[in-house]
Amino acid sequence: MINKKLLFSVKESIPYIQKNVLYQWIRLICNVCSTACLCLIIAKHRNILCIGIIFICLILRYIVNQKAIEMSYLSSHIVKETLRSRLYKKLSKIGIEYTNKWSTAEIVQLSSEGIEQLETYFTNYIPQFFYSLIAPITLFIIISFMNFKAALVLLVCVPLIPMRKLGSYFHIAMNGMAASDKLFAILEKEIEEKQNVKLDSYSISAHNLHFGYTDKEVLQGIHFKAFKGMIGFVGESGKSTIVSLLMGTIFEL
């Protein structure tokens, strides 16, 4: 299952995903070549050329395997950096009003565990998905030159092998797509343009302020007047409630 919106949300990772799949495909070709040469040696057609090809394939297989791991790392890095940066910038624009729809705990969970699951989606699930499509076709083309019937059998059976590995990533990928729904809900939230007003002097005051949640009253007859500068509220409870009331993010019914 491919979520195109999610895949193209971090276009910077696509070249690394493509290279990852390419290196896995080259590794497959190396395996085929080394296996064919080994079969020739077993069939008593021993020659230095087959041994040399096996040796070269083993070296090349090691190199491309390391390159595939490197592409996974680079893709992982850019996905996490890009998504967390976008989330932070969006929340900065929304301001404290984000708490009206999402809790701080949700945001923290999304920016940590949620994006980690999206990392697995980009670095493991997507490359394995495309490799699972390419590998059977490649083997079918190669083996069809030797035995067409055997190639057809492999075309049916071989996909089951990479699909098993793909299935191990599927559950995490689904969690990642669920996290992406929350992420897009935040990133696509419309923000009302607010006019910036510069004030030389101002004051904020409250007189006989009362406020409560359900049956519990947290503010009881609060009086204060604050002028330009830094002020602080101290006490066991009600501090964040006063700030929220002043900013207009909660209202008394």
Side-chain angles (χ1 to χ4, degrees), residues 23 26-27 30-31 34 51-67:
Y23 289 133
I26 294 174
R27 184 177 60 190
C30 290
N31 289 337
S34 59
I51 297 174
I53 291 174
I54 292 176
F55 183 72
I56 292 172
C57 287
L58 289 174
I59 295 176
L60 185 58
R61 186 180 185 278
Y62 174 80
I63 294 173
V64 296
N65 188 61
Q66 294 302 310
K67 296 297 290 184

Side-chain angles (χ1 to χ4, degrees), residues 37 41 45-56:
C37 289
I41 293 174
H45 296 289
R46 297 186 179 90
N47 56 65
I48 298 176
L49 179 61
C50 287
I51 297 174
I53 291 174
I54 292 176
F55 183 72
I56 292 172

Side-chain angles (χ1 to χ4, degrees), residues 75-128:
S75 177
S76 164
H77 176 75
I78 200 166
V79 165
K80 289 190 291 186
E81 181 181 13
T82 301
L83 293 180
R84 283 174 177 154
S85 177
R86 289 180 185 173
L87 179 61
Y88 173 77
K89 290 179 181 178
K90 188 67 176 186
L91 290 173
S92 298
K93 291 181 180 179
I94 296 174
I96 192 64
E97 294 180 4
Y98 80 84
T99 56
N100 292 337
K101 191 168 184 180
W102 303 283
S103 68
T104 302
E106 279 185 289
I107 298 298
V108 172
Q109 190 276 337
L110 178 61
S111 64
S112 55
E113 183 182 347
I115 290 180
E116 289 292 335
Q117 291 170 340
L118 286 173
E119 173 202 353
T120 304
Y121 178 83
F122 279 91
T123 60
N124 297 114
Y125 180 78
I126 294 295
Q128 187 63 33

Side-chain angles (χ1 to χ4, degrees), residues 1-3 5-7 9 79 83 109-123 125-126 169-185:
M1 182 181 294
I2 298 294
N3 187 324
K5 182 179 180 181
L6 177 58
L7 178 61
S9 65
V79 165
L83 293 180
Q109 190 276 337
L110 178 61
S111 64
S112 55
E113 183 182 347
I115 290 180
E116 289 292 335
Q117 291 170 340
L118 286 173
E119 173 202 353
T120 304
Y121 178 83
F122 279 91
T123 60
Y125 180 78
I126 294 295
Y169 299 131
F170 182 78
H171 178 69
I172 299 177
M174 293 304 101
N175 290 338
M177 283 192 278
S180 72
D181 293 337
K182 294 181 181 179
L183 181 65
F184 287 132

